Amino acid sequence: DVSESRDRLLVGLDKLEETNKKVAELTQIMAKMKPQLAKAAKDTAELLKQVKKEKAAAAIIEKRVGAESKKVGAQQAKANELKEAADAELGKALPALKKAMKALDAITKSDIATAKGLKSPPEMVRVVMEAVSVLLKFPGKPSWDTSKKMMGQSNFLQQLLTYPKDTVNDKMCKKMEKYMKMEAFTPEAMMSISSACSGLCAWCRAMVLYSQVNK
């Protein structure tokens, strides 16, 4: 029995010594790997830090892009709204323009000669002819004498029919305001005074309206 116990003890001591050797070897290996492990840990920490930075930057960019997209969307909606409103106004102006051109076609040289021959024309006839002279940029201070000179041109009616309506600018519209605001400055009101001046009045109003909606 004592012999068996001694043998077991010896075997145990051998295993313990073997284990200690393995532990010593592993310790040496770990000691050698320590710098590598430390570097790996540092690299990992830096990588995680960079990932966090990039993620934060991506979030900021995403937020900005979202804000810009929303802004662009709002601007596009506003632009569409303005275009629809402009199209609606233009839809009103074009029929008025067409009607005015038709009224001009009905005016004859005889009508103009009759108006030109008036020594003391009705006040609104003066007003309409002054408005026409403003749009045609006829030289001279607006007056009946100036209007008669304007009507005396052989191509007076042709100038109206071929008038470049896109050239009516804000400055001209400003000059036309005082006429446009007059209650009697309408084709309907002018019809009872002069059919020719009614057509000329319609032409004046159509030119200004077209300019206002065609900006």
Side-chain angles (χ1 to χ4, degrees), residues 112 114-122 125-130 141-151 197:
I112 299 302
T114 299
K116 180 175 174 290
L118 295 174
K119 291 184 178 181
S120 299
V125 171
R126 290 175 180 268
V127 169
V128 169
M129 297 315 302
E130 282 183 15
K141 184 178 180 180
S143 67
W144 184 242
D145 285 337
T146 299
S147 295
K148 287 196 293 183
K149 290 178 182 177
M150 177 181 66
M151 288 185 286
C197 284

Side-chain angles (χ1 to χ4, degrees), residues 180-193:
M180 299 291 285
K181 290 179 179 178
M182 292 181 180
E183 187 175 346
F185 192 76
T186 64
E188 294 75 18
M190 290 302 303
M191 185 59 74
S192 62
I193 301 174

Side-chain angles (χ1 to χ4, degrees), residues 11 23 25 48 69 80 87-88 90 92 102 125 127 129 132 137 143 146 153 165 174 181 189 193:
V11 171
V23 170
E25 289 174 358
L48 289 173
S69 296
N80 290 339
D87 288 344
L90 192 60
K92 296 177 184 177
K102 185 177 180 180
V125 171
V127 169
M129 297 315 302
V132 172
K137 295 182 180 180
S143 67
T146 299
Q153 300 175 106
K165 57 185 178 297
K174 186 71 176 178
K181 290 179 179 178
I193 301 174

Side-chain angles (χ1 to χ4, degrees), residues 85-87 89-94 208-215:
D87 288 344
E89 290 298 320
L90 192 60
K92 296 177 184 177
L94 291 177
V208 175
L209 178 60
Y210 180 83
S211 173
Q212 290 172 340
V213 302
N214 194 42
K215 293 179 180 179

